Every structure is written in structure tokens, then in C-alpha cells.
Amino acid sequence: MNPGFRLKTYPLYRNGAFVQSEPAWDVVNPATGEPFARISTIDRAGLAQAIADAHTAFASWRALTAKARGEYLRRMAAELDQRREEVARLISSENGKPLTQSLGEVALSVDHLQWFAEEGRRAYGRIIPPQAEGKRNLVVKTPVGVVGAISPWNFPLMLGVRKVAAALAAGCPVVLKPARQTPLSSIAFAECAQAAQLPKGVLQVVCGPSDQFGEEFLSNPLCRKVTFTGSTEVGEVLIRNAARTVKPLSLELGGNAPLLVFDDADLDVAVEGTLLAKMRNTGQSCIAANRLFVQRRICERFLDAFVARVKSLKVGESSEPGVEIGPLIDEAAVRHALGLVEDAVTRGARVLCGGHRMARKGFFFEPTVLADVPGDALCRHEEIFAPIVPVSTFETEEEAICLANDTAHGLCAYAFTRDLGCIFRLADHLEAGMIGINDGLPTTSNAPFGGVKQSGWGRELGSEGLDAFLDTKHVSIRVPLSS
């Protein structure tokens, strides 16, 4: 980098205005390993002020009709869609993913906004038949209040937008804290909100020390709910700290998704579906296929076809045409990937392709397939977050289900089969909040997203995603028995 070149410092979005503040943090492009921009930050006191400003905005925002709030969301969606190329390039610069995938992330974010713009109008209560004469019983839904939203770096726009869209549709102002590595696409989203003339204080985007921000969100009585996407380890810390004030949490945490390939599967569909489930965003996805189990009778045929496709994947910077695999997020991620491969090989696994860091600038790692991975290998138990596919075999459906469920996590699971009976048995017995059958990408705006076991609490998206930001109240009314 030219020593005389000054990086652009991006502002934060606070109470309806873009404000620069110090200190500013470097934002690194994973494809080069070098800073390309800076982001302003605030301290804990600044966050407390943002929460207070959001609380001030709450009364007028909740008073709007759901239809009126939806109009703001639609305008935000239109602004984001209009700027999709620019925002996608920003995502690729800060995250490293191929530009085509960044464009897909923008498109899904637009869809999330459009979905909740409509779903806000369907926050239904109900009338309950009375149990006693002279009473009427109502159930009503009301917004919880100010929401503290913490989003991760792997889908830096989409995972923030899905929190913001649902909360705003429900009538709740949001203070959004994006990940330190990838804050710039969230600032671009705030620009869309301002262009849509969203009232001040209803959405704010702030950056600062994660530990201090977490403590303020959880202890500040004006912040009524915290929603977080990230690791199970951080989720456990939030749970412990939230217990002091009984703060409601929505948590989308780690995954260890199994992918089952049965011997009756369409091999071409299974290969392409596995590539999508595993390699999207360079394997850095909470719903990425982490453990691949193939029925023994077809394992060699599957591996021949799958390894050939993995070898054909183009690795490079987002700007290069035809790129399918980008860099990992940082140096620590590369070291983690190398350690997982070394551990698996030490325990008896075979490297069919890849397994090394790439000899180029940035944090690039070769797409890797490991065969004969034993049950005690770390990659069978830790979230991989890299383009590494550990493959093992199974004999029977019962064994496959047992292997799939042998994890503390339960976010997503995948299976490839044409047996309808097997499909329904898997739906019943796989311990996961989402299941993709012959489908490597089961996420959609109108269906719930979330996990079981240690993969989190609650659901995003779908009608459940709106309900996460609503309080349920029972109103009992005694009425005259006669006029």
C-alpha cells in the first residue's frame, strides 16, 4: 500500500445522522490481507445514548400502522436493490466472497425486507371463547421495545437485515452492531434507510468493543431484547449475563450440519447439492455441511464425481471472472483449517484433494476433500468454517440417523435420497431445526430459520421471525350480562 494513501473512514449512523468518531478501526480485505477502509467507533457511553435515542423513537414508531411501517421497509428494499452492485462489491471487499454470491446476499436481503413489510400486517391476536359468563378474553400482540441486534461477519448484510426487518415490522426500533471485520455493508444499509426517510432513532448502526457493547445491551433497562448470531461459546456468555436481568434473547448459534447421501440418490443432484451446501461462502456458513456421510455401496462413485467437481472450482479474488471460492476471513481461520486437516490425517484420514494454504496474497485455502475420516477427528465435532469436506461411510438408514444426531448442535441437516418413506422418517428423526432434502440451500424468507440443542433459541424469518419481537398479552374483560 502507498504510505501516503489515506484510507476512507466510514461514519456510524446515530439518531438519523452519519457521524464520524474516533478511534477508527481498520477494515481488512481478506483477499489481500491489507486494510482498505476504516470504520468509526463509539464507547459504551455512546451505545447507551443510542439506546436512549431508540427508546425516544419507540413511541411514535409503534404508533404507526403495520401498513405504514411496511411502506418504509419497501422503500428501504427498493433503495438497496437499486444499489445492489455497489453494495455487493462492498460485501466482497470486506468479506472476500465471490461477487456473484455477494449479489445473491443483497437479493436475499431485499427479499427479507419485502417479506416483513407484508408480514407485519399479520401479527394476529385472537378471541378466546369465554370460560365464565360475563367475560370476554382477548389475546393481543404488542412490540417488545428497543432491540439490540448483533450480527456476524460471514453474511454481513443479510444476517443484520433479517433482524432489523423483523423488528421494525413488529414496531421495535433497532440498534445494530455489525461484526468488527465487516461493518461497511451495514453502513450502506443505513444509507438506504436514510434515503427511505426512516424516522430518526428507529435504526442505528454502531461499532465498538464487543464485550462492552454486550454488557450494555444486556444491562440497560431501555433495551428490551437482544438478538445475536454467532458462535455457541459467545451465546453461552450472553445467556449467563442475560440471567441477571432476565433479558429475552434470540440466539442463532453454531452448527455442525450432517449431510447424508443414500445409495438411491440421484448422483448428479447429490454432488451439486453437496457443493452448494458446503462451499457457499467458502464453507464459512453456520448451515454449511460439516460432516458428509455416504452409503458405503456408492461411496467410491460419489467421491470420484465429487472430487472432480471440487478440483474444478475456481479460487480467487471476487473481481476475477468465474470465481467460486474466495479467501477465508483472516489468518486465524487459515491456521484453524490447517490444524483440522493435520488432525484428521494423523487419525487416519486420506486427503483426496487440497489440504494446503494457497501460495498467494491473502487468506486463501485450497478446497479440500478428506476420506475415511474417523469419528474422533476434530473436524467431526468442531464447526469447520472452511472449504474442507470430511467424508465417512454408513451402512443403514438407522446408522445414518445416529451419526447425524451425534452432535451437541442441531441447526441444519441435509439428505439426498429418492425414497419417500425415508424422507418422512428423516423429517421425524433428524435433530435439526432445518432439513434440506435434495436441497443444498433450504433458506427462504417465508420459512423459519433456527436450530435445536446448542444451536440456539428461537427462530428468524417466517411468521416466527416476526413473533420474536412481539409480546403476547391476555386481556380479560368483564362485560354486563344485560343491557
Side-chain angles (χ1 to χ4, degrees):
M1 183 183 296
N2 185 337
F5 178 75
R6 293 190 63 185
L7 299 175
K8 176 182 177 180
T9 298
Y10 284 75
L12 304 179
Y13 188 53
R14 303 179 61 188
N15 204 28
F18 288 95
V19 182
Q20 289 201 343
S21 54
E22 294 290 339
W25 293 342
D26 286 348
V27 181
V28 173
N29 184 336
T32 64
E34 297 177 348
F36 74 98
R38 309 194 82 207
I39 184 66
S40 300
T41 69
I42 56 174
D43 58 13
R44 182 170 177 174
L47 176 60
Q49 183 60 55
I51 293 171
D53 292 335
H55 182 69
T56 299
F58 178 41
S60 57
W61 182 248
R62 70 178 297 177
L64 292 178
T65 64
K67 182 179 180 181
R69 293 195 295 265
E71 288 297 330
Y72 282 108
L73 291 177
R74 271 187 285 272
R75 292 206 294 268
M76 291 163 65
E79 290 287 341
L80 183 57
D81 188 49
Q82 189 174 30
R83 296 180 57 184
R84 59 186 177 275
E85 297 280 349
E86 170 200 348
V87 176
R89 286 194 294 272
L90 204 55
I91 293 171
S92 290
S93 295
E94 63 183 355
N95 171 276
K97 69 179 63 177
L99 185 58
T100 54
Q101 294 184 27
S102 294
L103 285 166
E105 179 170 344
V106 175
L108 274 171
S109 300
V110 169
D111 195 63
H112 290 348
L113 288 162
Q114 292 171 337
W115 162 257
F116 282 110
E118 290 297 323
E119 190 63 10
R121 301 166 73 173
R122 293 184 280 273
Y124 301 128
R126 67 187 190 274
I127 299 175
I128 301 171
Q131 294 275 58
E133 287 189 31
K135 286 190 177 183
R136 293 295 181 267
N137 301 103
L138 312 180
V139 174
V140 297
K141 301 291 185 79
T142 58
V144 298
V146 175
V147 172
I150 305 171
S151 60
W153 54 261
N154 56 336
F155 292 90
L157 177 68
M158 183 179 69
L159 295 184
V161 167
R162 68 172 52 167
K163 299 175 187 303
V164 170
L168 295 190
C172 303
V174 181
V175 181
L176 172 64
K177 179 204 170 298
R180 175 171 182 159
Q181 300 98 318
T182 56
L184 305 186
S185 53
S186 294
I187 299 301
F189 177 54
E191 291 171 355
C192 295
Q194 188 183 59
Q197 300 181 319
L198 191 71
K200 73 174 186 178
V202 172
L203 171 64
Q204 299 177 81
V205 180
V206 295
C207 294
S210 295
D211 54 348
Q212 294 182 28
F213 274 33
E215 291 172 3
E216 184 63 29
F217 278 139
L218 293 171
S219 63
N220 191 315
L222 298 182
C223 179
R224 299 298 300 273
K225 175 150 189 172
V226 175
T227 174
F228 168 79
T229 297
S231 71
T232 297
E233 291 74 20
V234 174
E236 291 171 353
V237 173
L238 293 175
I239 291 169
R240 286 195 295 271
N241 292 339
R244 295 198 298 264
T245 56
V246 199
K247 184 83 67 174
L249 300 174
S250 288
L251 302 172
E252 197 266 279
L253 306 178
N256 191 16
L259 188 149
L260 311 176
V261 181
F262 289 87
D263 59 13
D264 69 319
D266 182 312
L267 201 62
D268 292 337
V269 171
V271 167
E272 294 303 318
T274 302
L275 277 176
L276 180 59
K278 178 62 210 185
M279 296 299 186
R280 188 169 67 116
N281 197 29
T282 316
Q284 299 172 119
S285 169
C286 53
I287 64 170
N290 211 57
R291 300 168 295 138
L292 180 55
F293 301 107
V294 184
Q295 201 152 16
R296 187 178 302 277
R297 190 171 69 86
I298 63 161
C299 189
E300 288 305 317
R301 280 198 300 129
F302 176 86
L303 284 174
D304 288 344
F306 185 69
V307 170
R309 279 291 284 119
V310 171
K311 287 181 177 179
S312 75
L313 296 173
K314 183 175 180 180
V315 182
E317 296 188 34
S318 62
S319 58
E320 298 174 28
V323 166
E324 298 165 281
I325 300 290
L328 297 177
I329 188 65
D330 55 23
E331 181 64 31
V334 176
R335 290 197 299 268
H336 179 65
L338 288 168
L340 291 177
V341 172
E342 181 181 356
D343 171 79
V345 171
T346 299
R347 298 176 191 273
R350 295 182 292 132
V351 179
L352 301 186
C353 66
H356 301 96
R357 180 179 197 147
M358 298 186 70
R360 58 181 294 169
K361 288 177 64 176
F363 309 121
F364 289 91
F365 193 86
E366 294 175 337
T368 301
V369 180
L370 304 174
D372 304 328
V373 178
D376 60 351
L378 292 177
C379 60
R380 287 272 294 267
H381 302 279
E382 294 185 7
E383 197 167 21
I384 294 175
F385 256 56
I388 299 171
V389 187
V391 183
S392 306
T393 60
F394 68 90
E395 295 284 358
T396 66
E397 179 185 318
E398 291 75 16
E399 182 188 6
I401 292 172
C402 184
L403 289 167
N405 292 339
D406 186 22
T407 174
H409 295 91
L411 185 59
C412 193
Y414 304 89
F416 291 85
T417 177
R418 289 183 280 196
D419 183 333
L420 187 59
C422 177
I423 290 171
F424 280 103
R425 289 189 294 272
L426 294 174
D428 284 342
H429 296 296
L430 288 177
E431 296 171 352
M434 297 170 286
I435 300 172
I437 303 292
N438 302 320
D439 180 7
L441 182 56
T443 305
T444 179
S445 297
N446 56 341
F449 184 105
V452 300
K453 298 194 284 189
Q454 292 185 23
S455 285
W457 290 350
R459 295 294 183 269
E460 297 184 317
L461 302 181
S463 57
E464 293 84 354
L466 182 73
D467 203 52
F469 300 102
L470 295 168
D471 284 329
T472 301
K473 298 179 180 178
H474 167 222
V475 181
S476 179
I477 305 171
R478 180 173 292 279
V479 297
L481 292 177
S482 59
S483 59

